[in-house]
Every structure is written in structure tokens, then in C-alpha cells.
Amino acid sequence: MDVRELVVVHAGFGTAAVPYVEGWELQRRTHALRVDNAIPDTVLLLEHEPVYTAGKRTGKLDRPLGDPGAPVVDVDRGGKITWHGPGQLTGYPIIKLRDPVDVVGYVRLLERMMMDVCADLGLATVTVEGRSGLWVSGTPDRKIGSIGVRVSREVAMHGFMLNCDNDMDWFDRIIPCGIRDAGSTNLSRELGRDVTVAEIVPLVERHLAAALGAEGMLHRTAAQLEALAGLQESAAITL
């Protein structure tokens, strides 16, 4: 399938925030379709209901003590533990990476995309050697965006998150990303005004499409995406 457009799926925001396990299953279905070339490159954009996700490198001491007020889900991405929830934009690009697959280069691409989004809003951010994600320099440095990816059969899943106007207290209950000598922050705190997920969604769409070299975007629902895959399968059977 030679498709030059990026498909964007708004999977759920605000009162329609997506439970993590439901979003993970949507990722897996989308990933399988992309592996089979049944759909183009696709990004799922959403807010999650409050949840902690523990990547494969999460240590015992990184996890919350007692009841953190949200479920802790062990996942198959890289990295350590982090939080997802309302006021934070989560993006899952389901992208077929070019051969030879360069996972580090893909992570750098996502960092650059988030940096460009923050620059549009007037916030200077940096990357930190040896630490993935996006940071605001200071004492201590403050993490504003995180990245955790998994690549299987040349197709990436999981992705990035950018803190907008979320409750930062959630991060106090864990060691975010296993980093003990840094803080966490969001766009609203850094810019001194309310920066909502709705405000940054179009910025993320535009910069992600540009970073991936897409010539345009197609907005679809999850149901429309899976229907497209069904039509592709039917055409292949007919042929």
C-alpha cells in the first residue's frame, strides 16, 4: 500500500477518556492491520483515564507504595514507570519504519516533534543526553514529555505523552521513568496559563505529519479505520 497520508484517529478525550486496557487493545489491533499493510501509517490520539504503566525496565523501587489511586499496568514497551491521565495528550503512532529500522532515530524524531510543538507555544525545551523524552532546563531539570516505544515486525507502537494541564500530584507517587534527580512539569505550569489538550492536538498532528514526511492527514474514527481494513481484505480476496 503506497499511501502518503497520515491517518489520525481521535480515540477519546475529556469525558470520553479511554481506559488503558481498552486503548492497548486498540493499539494491538491497529498494529496488526499496519503489519499486514491493510491500513496506512496511523496515529491514535487520546486522553487516558488515570493509570500508571510500567515498562519492561521498571524496578521494584520505582513503583508506588501502597494504593496510588489508579491501577498499575505492566506493558511491553521500553522504559520504566509513568502516569497517563486527564490533561495529558497521549499519542500512539502505529508507523511502519523504513529499513534498516532505526529505533533510536525514531525516538529522536518524536522528541523533535514535541519540541516543535512547545516552541509554537513559546516554551523552550531541551533533550538530555542519556535520557529520552523532553525537558525544561532548570534546577532540577523538569520532564514535560515522555516517550516509550516498541517495534515489532518493523511497525512501531506505544509512543509519546505531553503534559498539558494535568494534576502533577500523580507523579509524586512514583519515580517517573526511574529518574530520581529530576522533576516533572506541564505546559500550563511553565507558561503560566491553562494549556489544554484540545489546544495542542492540532499542533501535534501538524508537526508529527511533517516529521514523518506525510503529505497530508486523514481524520478517521477507529471504526472507520477497521472498516477500511475490511474493504482492503475483501478487495484482495476478490482479486
Side-chain angles (χ1 to χ4, degrees), residues 27 30-31 34-35 42 92-97 106 110 149-159:
Q27 274 199 80
T30 307
H31 181 273
R34 186 66 190 98
V35 166
T42 298
Y92 298 129
I94 313 298
I95 304 297
K96 181 161 286 190
L97 301 182
Y106 176 61
L110 295 179
V149 302
R150 176 173 183 258
V151 178
S152 174
R153 299 176 67 185
E154 299 184 341
V155 176
M157 61 186 299
H158 297 291

Side-chain angles (χ1 to χ4, degrees), residues 196-218:
T196 65
V197 168
E199 180 178 348
I200 70 165
V201 162
L203 300 179
V204 166
E205 290 177 354
R206 176 165 57 85
H207 285 295
L208 182 61
L212 294 172
E215 295 181 0
M217 289 182 290
L218 296 172

Side-chain angles (χ1 to χ4, degrees), residues 7-238:
V7 173
V8 179
V9 175
H10 291 182
F13 299 106
T15 57
V18 181
Y20 186 80
V21 173
E22 181 180 313
W24 196 5
E25 179 56 34
L26 175 59
Q27 274 199 80
R28 285 191 285 241
R29 294 199 307 271
T30 307
H31 181 273
L33 294 173
R34 186 66 190 98
V35 166
D36 291 341
N37 287 322
I39 59 172
D41 285 342
T42 298
V43 59
L44 311 175
L45 297 178
L46 58 126
E47 286 174 273
H48 275 303
E49 294 180 354
V51 65
Y52 293 100
T53 63
K56 292 183 288 186
R57 296 194 302 110
T58 302
K60 184 176 180 180
L61 295 179
D62 300 324
R63 295 174 180 267
L65 297 174
D67 180 7
V72 179
V73 180
D74 289 283
V75 296
D76 58 353
R77 61 164 171 79
K80 296 191 176 185
I81 194 166
T82 192
W83 174 85
H84 298 287
Q88 177 193 83
L89 177 63
T90 297
Y92 298 129
I94 313 298
I95 304 297
K96 181 161 286 190
L97 301 182
R98 295 178 180 176
D99 190 39
V101 172
D102 181 0
V103 179
V104 173
Y106 176 61
V107 170
R108 299 287 93 82
L109 178 150
L110 295 179
E111 289 172 342
R112 182 74 246 179
M113 177 274 296
M114 291 196 294
M115 185 178 290
D116 289 342
V117 170
C118 291
D120 280 356
L121 297 169
L123 178 64
T125 54
V126 298
T127 56
V128 176
E129 183 70 27
R131 293 178 172 178
S132 67
L134 195 64
W135 299 79
V136 179
S137 294
T139 307
D141 291 337
R142 303 176 298 283
K143 195 168 193 178
I144 197 167
S146 296
I147 295 170
V149 302
R150 176 173 183 258
V151 178
S152 174
R153 299 176 67 185
E154 299 184 341
V155 176
M157 61 186 299
H158 297 291
F160 63 90
M161 65 181 198
L162 188 57
N163 295 329
C164 299
D165 59 352
N166 49 300
D167 181 353
M168 297 305 300
D169 289 346
W170 289 102
F171 288 99
D172 294 337
R173 304 170 197 181
I174 58 171
I175 305 298
C177 302
I179 299 172
R180 290 169 167 79
D181 60 347
S184 298
T185 191
N186 62 25
L187 289 165
S188 296
R189 180 176 292 182
E190 296 298 328
L191 293 172
R193 66 175 182 86
D194 191 26
V195 181
T196 65
V197 168
E199 180 178 348
I200 70 165
V201 162
L203 300 179
V204 166
E205 290 177 354
R206 176 165 57 85
H207 285 295
L208 182 61
L212 294 172
E215 295 181 0
M217 289 182 290
L218 296 172
H219 286 84
R220 297 288 184 265
T221 66
Q224 287 171 333
L225 187 67
E226 293 181 333
L228 171 63
L231 289 173
Q232 293 287 341
E233 182 178 357
S234 296
I237 292 171
T238 299

